[in-house]
Amino acid sequence: MAELPHIAPIGTEGYLVRFADRLDDAANRALVGFAAALEAEDVAGIVEISTALASVFVRFDVTQIARADLVLRLQALLDGRDWLTAASAAPPRLWRVPTLYGGAAGPQLGEVAKLVGVTEEAAVRELSAARVRVLAIGFAPGQPYLGMLPERWDVPRQTALSPRVPQGALVLAVRQFNLFANETPTGWRHIATTHLKLFQPDAPQPFVLRPGDELLFPAVSEHDWAMLETDPMGGAQLEEAT
């Protein structure tokens, strides 16, 4: 087995820089830092840098940079610092996203609470205080995978799909949240809903969130949540994390 991090070709125009064989919080933080540093280098010929849960995908234009030269640049950047340390150097952004838990906005909150062995009220208190990080953006434009929740929230996915959850749905499985950018079916359990529009195509930055951002989902009343319906940001507030 190759030593990690490891650079491997993907097709004719890409490389995958793998930091772990499975989701690992330290490796994910490292790869987010590596991707940001590679982006900052603005290497001629690199046309896409995308992060996943355990790896970074780099797509390049073969007419602008040779494969061997790109591999040398990637390896030099990997060797240039201890990424497990460097990844935590830059302060992340912290989002507070008003969230309505339970009821029609989170019809499976009670099911999740029962699986964990707590009351719905206790589940809301704990989940609304849980500070999670954007591990990756994927599945739909701007949609984040968020983690990691404490171990007791290692709730399995459903054995069958829920036919529909709305845009802004907050769902839970395997110690992670997923916040849906679009109405969609899902195998994760729907516990709450926000009004945050994750993909805003007419904005200078169409994706609201980016890998490494941290989020809190504080509980709000149904009245306060309804007042945010026309706000594309859903009342979300951004600050520098400490």
Side-chain angles (χ1 to χ4, degrees):
M1 182 177 294
E3 183 179 352
L4 297 171
H6 174 66
I7 303 169
I10 297 292
T12 60
E13 299 179 346
Y15 279 95
L16 194 70
V17 185
R18 183 175 294 280
F19 282 75
D21 292 324
R22 61 182 62 85
L23 175 58
D24 173 82
D25 186 69
N28 182 268
R29 290 177 185 273
L31 72 88
V32 168
F34 173 83
L38 182 60
E39 187 83 39
E41 288 200 353
D42 195 24
V43 178
I46 291 180
V47 296
E48 180 184 354
I49 301 169
S50 302
T51 61
L53 294 176
S55 60
V56 178
F57 173 67
V58 181
R59 186 165 63 89
F60 66 102
D61 184 339
V62 295
T63 67
Q64 296 187 48
I65 186 169
R67 298 180 70 93
D69 291 340
L70 177 57
V71 171
L72 287 174
R73 292 293 297 265
L74 295 175
Q75 192 63 59
L77 186 58
L78 281 174
D79 295 341
R81 67 187 80 173
D82 178 354
W83 288 102
L84 292 177
T85 301
S88 61
R93 304 188 305 174
L94 174 63
W95 295 88
R96 298 180 188 273
V97 184
T99 304
L100 183 62
Y101 289 84
Q108 293 173 295
L109 175 65
E111 183 180 338
V112 169
K114 185 176 181 180
L115 286 168
V116 174
V118 298
T119 64
E120 289 190 31
E121 293 76 12
V124 171
R125 284 196 301 272
E126 186 168 340
L127 294 174
S128 63
R131 188 156 155 171
V132 291
R133 188 170 55 84
V134 178
L135 303 171
I137 301 289
F139 184 75
Q143 183 166 312
Y145 289 83
L146 302 156
M148 299 292 290
L149 292 167
E151 288 188 8
R152 70 170 175 170
W153 296 99
D154 192 12
V155 174
R157 296 175 181 86
Q158 301 176 101
T159 55
L161 291 177
S162 297
R164 173 192 173 277
V165 295
Q167 181 185 69
L170 185 66
V171 300
L172 185 152
V174 292
R175 295 184 61 195
Q176 296 176 57
F177 287 140
N178 201 315
L179 184 60
F180 277 101
N182 300 304
E183 179 181 310
T184 185
T186 182
W188 296 37
R189 289 174 171 85
H190 182 195
I191 61 166
T193 303
T194 78
H195 284 308
L196 176 59
K197 304 295 189 295
L198 294 164
F199 179 52
Q200 301 181 16
D202 296 327
Q205 296 293 332
F207 289 6
V208 172
L209 303 177
R210 64 192 185 201
D213 282 359
E214 296 184 355
L215 288 88
L216 286 165
F217 293 94
V220 297
S221 69
E222 187 168 359
H223 174 270
D224 290 346
W225 181 77
M227 296 292 288
L228 300 170
E229 185 173 3
T230 59
D231 177 6
M233 296 303 295
Q237 299 294 316
L238 175 62
E239 60 190 69
E240 291 297 322
T242 56

